[in-house]
Amino acid sequence: MIFKRNALLAVLATGTLALTACGGSDEPAAEGGLNLVSEGNLTVCSDIPFPPFEFEENGEYTGFDIDLMREIATGMDLELVVQDVGFDGLQSGATIAAGQCDIGASAMTITEERQANLAFSDPYYDSLQSLLVPADSDVTGIDDLAGKSVGVQQGTTGETYTRENVPADTEVVAFPSDAEMYAAVQAGNVDALLQDLPVNLGHTEDGAFTIAEKYETDEKYGFAMAKEGSEELVAAVNEQLTAIRDSGKYQEIYDTYFTE
Ligand code: ARG
């Protein structure tokens, strides 16, 4: 495995488990009320790559979100279909409102702003922000970015945090995806990246980059569904999430991506 294992994340996930262990026990929804965009399928939109949550391996989409979605689809007697989409349209609600997919599984933080346009499942992962810099950088924290540039992903909570917290003369460069951010810092086009910690940790694997600072933003990821008409789907997804936690499958998938 190429991803950093992190004891802190394990602790955070345990907290999530405790929080949601007493979730609802609604009866399974009939498929008719689920209002699926394609019958028999759970059509999932995700901005890929965002490892270890969603990435491509041997020509197939995989990762923490994708594996959870596969379990949820199976539990609902549906076939999983994954579509790679841009994150900004997904988080704004536009992609789902356009009927492109039933659900967004994209390491998406539940925010009040997004809840105006999307319905969210129960939280399934706790996360935080971080600043990634080249290993030989003299930047040790966000204040050192004065007069420098930082890459962010457009439409993300990392972008919002960055714009609210960098010095006035920092250049904030927004990229459509994490892959482009990473390429930019590797090429030396930006001095740092501000992104969700688990994803930035992956970028430290080869030793060329390091985490300069972490930000306890208290974020929780949720699966995103249509604001209107998704009541049964939300209930069914939450029911599956609870079942997956109870059966130990959540922990098994978690351990695949986050523990030794
Ligand atoms: N958690 C952050 C947010 O919700 C970043 C998510 C980006 N996800 C992705 N698959 N690109 O804004």
Side-chain angles (χ1 to χ4, degrees):
M1 289 304 300
I2 55 167
F3 305 111
K4 261 280 187 284
R5 318 313 198 240
N6 189 305
L8 171 66
L9 292 174
V11 171
L12 290 171
T14 310
T16 305
L17 279 172
L19 266 177
T20 54
C22 53
S25 58
D26 298 345
E27 287 302 307
E31 202 185 312
L34 294 175
N35 295 328
L36 300 173
V37 299
S38 157
E39 206 188 322
N41 296 324
L42 186 64
T43 309
V44 174
C45 277
S46 185
D47 170 44
I48 306 166
F50 200 69
F53 298 96
E54 35 264 350
F55 56 99
E56 202 176 321
E57 196 175 59
N58 305 324
E60 284 187 27
Y61 294 135
T62 185
F64 184 65
D65 288 346
I66 306 297
D67 287 4
L68 285 180
M69 272 296 124
R70 187 169 290 111
E71 282 301 314
I72 289 169
T74 303
M76 293 170 69
D77 254 329
L78 297 170
E79 205 68 44
L80 180 74
V81 176
V82 179
Q83 290 187 17
D84 184 10
V85 302
F87 185 75
D88 205 11
L90 196 55
Q91 66 84 29
S92 74
T95 305
I96 288 176
Q100 200 175 330
C101 39
D102 302 307
I103 186 161
S106 202
M108 197 191 294
T109 304
I110 302 169
T111 68
E112 255 178 54
E113 206 181 353
R114 290 172 181 167
Q115 279 172 323
N117 305 305
L118 291 164
F120 281 93
S121 71
D122 292 336
Y124 68 90
Y125 185 87
D126 291 359
S127 195
L128 62 165
Q129 295 296 325
S130 64
L131 188 66
L132 182 86
V133 298
D136 60 0
S137 171
D138 53 6
V139 172
T140 60
I142 203 160
D143 296 333
D144 296 337
L145 289 176
K148 297 188 188 293
S149 60
V150 57
V152 298
Q153 184 175 359
Q154 199 176 332
T156 62
T157 48
E159 177 179 20
T160 306
Y161 185 88
T162 302
R163 294 195 187 280
E164 284 170 358
N165 291 284
V166 286
D169 61 346
T170 299
E171 187 195 355
V172 180
V173 187
F175 296 90
S177 73
D178 187 76
E180 280 151 302
M181 288 169 62
Y182 188 43
V185 78
Q186 285 179 307
N189 294 338
V190 292
D191 297 307
L193 299 182
L194 202 143
Q195 180 65 283
D196 293 14
L197 177 64
V199 175
N200 263 347
L201 275 176
H203 298 328
T204 66
E205 283 286 300
D206 68 1
F209 296 92
T210 180
I211 304 293
E213 205 169 34
K214 296 176 186 175
Y215 312 104
E216 303 286 344
T217 46
D218 198 20
E219 294 179 54
K220 294 181 192 311
Y221 296 168
F223 299 119
M225 288 154 275
K227 179 73 181 163
E228 306 291 337
S230 67
E231 293 77 7
E232 287 193 28
L233 181 59
V234 172
V237 167
N238 284 338
E239 186 186 347
Q240 292 302 324
L241 261 180
T242 301
I244 289 166
R245 290 181 188 280
D246 290 349
S247 70
K249 193 73 195 176
Y250 176 98
Q251 193 62 43
E252 192 184 304
I253 295 172
Y254 186 92
D255 291 344
T256 306
Y257 296 104
F258 300 109
T259 55
E260 213 56 75

